[in-house]
């Protein structure tokens, strides 16, 4: 009981610490990337915090997988380094006695990883796409802000309004430049207002202004003065885009009979199911991998851990691509990688219980061993 309690306590604290560090790094990266999108006009700056939160939720499954693997490795490496494992081994325990308490600690987290991968991941991706599409499908009026030149969604019109009263729908000192069919038209006015027409269409009505058509160097250049000039603004309906495979729910992935996307759906399902299985495989590998050889240093296990995680995750992504391309079935691709991880963990644990050097000594003749 003392052994299990100490192991569970250290695993809890270490997993929480590693998870917070990874989340901090993830959020910092997302802030830089999404603020860059907002600066380029791809997303609404007001939605930046929501998009960062959704992206973080989407990657929680991956972060928990890495946290569980690294925390298990850190705790056991410290125990070897501080000779605590020697005390436990001297008390009659072995490496195999670590498996059950570690799996008892990891099982709830693996279930959480499965729920995040199966349900939270597609929901977060879907909401992110809807927010981005809603911003890109906004009408021209919503793009106008006082004191700034704004380009329309189709890049064929430029607005400038010096003052804007949203409550009264009044505008002052308006500049509108249109470029249609290769002909430039510029309208300027001191006052105007935003008019809502039937059917949801919007227009800007300019009072007592001047309009310039064409280019001054061409013979058809004209200057017109007007009392009222109306320019229509295209109002686009925010349509929900068709969900991608990473945005579909489990039922949508299973029930979508479209032959063009059926392989992509199966590949996405393989990745979601494979993530908790990868977490289980990494935890089992971490148990024998944590053994510290004083001659090799304390960070050798961490180097191998990074290498194993990269190979494991890339093999999972590679299998997903093969299934998406139809090279083999999802039922064939879902088990070899995880079965290989389980086999490697079994071999390493067996080697830690019965080191290979002692095994060879038992096989060699007694006279040769003495020499």
């Amino acid at each position: 009981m003392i052994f299990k309690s100490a192991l569970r306590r250290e695993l809890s604290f270490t997993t929480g610490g590693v998870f917070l560090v990874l989340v901090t790094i993830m959020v910092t990266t997302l802030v830089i990337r999404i603020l860059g999108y907002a600066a380029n006009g791809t997303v609404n700056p007001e939605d930046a915090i929501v998009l960062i939160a959704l992206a973080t939720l989407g990657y929680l499954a991956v972060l928990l997988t890495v946290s569980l693997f690294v925390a298990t490795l850190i705790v056991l490496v410290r125990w070897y380094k501080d000779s605590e494992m020697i005390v436990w081994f001297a008390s009659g325990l072995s490496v195999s006695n670590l498996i059950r308490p570690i799996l008892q600690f990891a099982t709830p987290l693996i279930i959480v990883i499965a729920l995040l991968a199966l349900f939270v991941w597609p929901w977060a991706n879907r909401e992110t796409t809807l927010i981005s599409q809603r911003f890109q499908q906004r009408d021209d009026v919503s793009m106008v802000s006082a004191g700034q030149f704004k380009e329309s969604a189709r890049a064929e019109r430029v607005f400038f309004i010096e003052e804007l009263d949203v409550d009264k729908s009044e505008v002052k000192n308006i500049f509108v430049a249109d470029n249609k069919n290769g002909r430039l038209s510029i309208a300027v006015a001191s006052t105007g207002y935003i008019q809502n027409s039937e059917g949801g269409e919007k227009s800007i009505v300019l009072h007592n202004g001047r309009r310039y058509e064409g280019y001054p160097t061409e013979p058809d250049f004209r200057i017109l003065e007007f009392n009222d000039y109306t320019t229509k603004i295209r109002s686009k309906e925010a349509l929900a885009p068709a969900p991608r495979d990473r945005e579909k729910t489990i039922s949508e992935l299973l029930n979508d009979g479209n032959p063009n996307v059926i392989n992509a759906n199966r590949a996405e399902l393989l990745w979601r199911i494979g993530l908790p299985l990868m977490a289980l495989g990494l935890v089992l590998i971490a148990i024998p991998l944590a053994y510290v050889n004083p001659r090799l240093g304390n960070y050798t296990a961490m180097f191998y851990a990074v290498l194993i995680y990269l190979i494991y995750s890339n093999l999972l992504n590679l299998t997903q691509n093969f299934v998406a391309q139809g090279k083999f079935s999802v039922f064939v691709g879902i088990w070899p990688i995880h079965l290989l991880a389980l086999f490697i963990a079994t071999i390493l644990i067996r080697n830690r219980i019965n080191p290979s050097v002692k095994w060879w000594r038992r096989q060699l003749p007694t006279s040769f061993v003495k020499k």
Side-chain angles (χ1 to χ4, degrees), residues 3 79 82-93:
F3 168 73
W79 279 20
D82 296 344
S83 301
E84 290 188 28
M85 291 301 296
I86 298 177
V87 176
W88 293 119
F89 291 159
S91 303
L93 300 177

Side-chain angles (χ1 to χ4, degrees), residues 247-299:
E247 301 166 2
K248 294 180 180 179
T249 61
I250 298 298
S251 60
E252 291 174 342
L253 291 175
L254 295 175
N255 300 326
D256 194 345
N258 187 350
N260 297 326
V261 297
I262 189 169
N263 289 331
N265 291 341
R266 291 175 177 175
E268 177 66 19
L269 190 62
L270 180 143
W271 185 85
R272 296 186 194 179
I273 297 175
L275 200 58
L277 294 177
M278 183 176 72
L280 177 61
L282 290 174
V283 169
L284 292 176
I285 292 175
I287 295 174
L289 190 65
Y291 172 75
V292 175
N293 188 341
R295 296 180 180 179
L296 298 178
N298 299 327
Y299 300 99

